[in-house]
Amino acid sequence: LLWECTSQWDEDAYSVDGVELADLDKGDALASLPLDFLLLQVANSLAVADLPRESLSQLLSILHRLAQHSNATAAAIVTTQGLIANVFQRFLLTPIPPTDETPPPNPAALRFLCTLAAASRENATALVDPADSLLRYITSLPSSSPHPVSLATQLLAGTLRLYATFAAYGIYANIA
């Protein structure tokens, strides 16, 4: 229900970048959510990962829509204990080479991280250390990646977008 009411309510909002969407929240539905409780529950659910893949992807979609809502909400996401680490672990730091038992990396997680980083310099700075683990997606060409070429290309492009966002703040400007 939360997924349907946040990220699926207005699917066009997913493609909007760089703008707070709080003004589109008629009736302040998203602003009324108990973020502290909700974000801790999402962090715990991602840590345990005892949910189907589709449910985990829906949680990522909810987080992304919340991050788009306002810069304050994005900051709350970044500062929630363990949430960012669990997003990296669950959606991006999958084993190499891939196995049949583990899902492939999810490029939507990179878009979510870009949204967080674009919200403020403080968020971007908080994401720098965990983002170093993403450099594995730019060390080889998509054609030589252990992932399918289309997925490897999305991971490469998403990682470069994240580092370009860091560079906009002067963070890691020498790498981007």
Side-chain angles (χ1 to χ4, degrees), residues 22 27-28 48 50 61 68 89 101 117 119 121 123 147-148 155 164:
D28 293 328
V48 174
D50 197 22
S61 186
Q68 290 176 307
Q89 194 62 40
E101 297 83 37
R121 180 182 187 83
N123 288 357
H147 302 292
L155 294 169

Side-chain angles (χ1 to χ4, degrees), residues 58-115:
Q58 288 173 345
L59 287 175
L60 179 62
S61 186
I62 290 166
L63 287 173
H64 187 244
R65 179 57 183 92
L66 290 173
Q68 290 176 307
H69 182 69
S70 71
N71 292 344
T73 304
I77 291 169
V78 170
T79 58
T80 298
Q81 181 74 31
L83 183 55
I84 296 301
N86 292 338
V87 167
F88 271 86
Q89 194 62 40
R90 197 62 48 225
F91 298 108
L92 295 169
L93 301 181
T94 59
I96 295 180
T99 64
D100 292 336
E101 297 83 37
T102 59
N106 188 339
L110 289 168
R111 186 174 177 125
F112 164 65
L113 293 172
C114 283
T115 299

Side-chain angles (χ1 to χ4, degrees), residues 5 9 21-33 65 69:
C5 293
W9 187 264
L21 300 179
D23 291 340
L24 298 178
D25 185 14
K26 304 299 182 213
D28 293 328
L30 291 179
S32 68
L33 291 173
R65 179 57 183 92
H69 182 69

Side-chain angles (χ1 to χ4, degrees), residues 123-133 163 166 171-172:
N123 288 357
T125 302
L127 294 174
V128 166
D129 286 339
D132 282 346
S133 62
Y163 276 88
F166 292 157
I171 302 167
Y172 266 153

Side-chain angles (χ1 to χ4, degrees), residues 129-143:
D129 286 339
D132 282 346
S133 62
L134 301 176
L135 293 174
R136 65 171 152 168
Y137 296 126
I138 62 173
T139 57
S140 63
L141 294 173
S143 59

Side-chain angles (χ1 to χ4, degrees), residues 42-57:
V42 172
N44 291 335
S45 295
L46 292 177
V48 174
D50 197 22
L51 296 171
R53 253 170 87 181
E54 181 180 357
S55 297
L56 292 171
S57 292

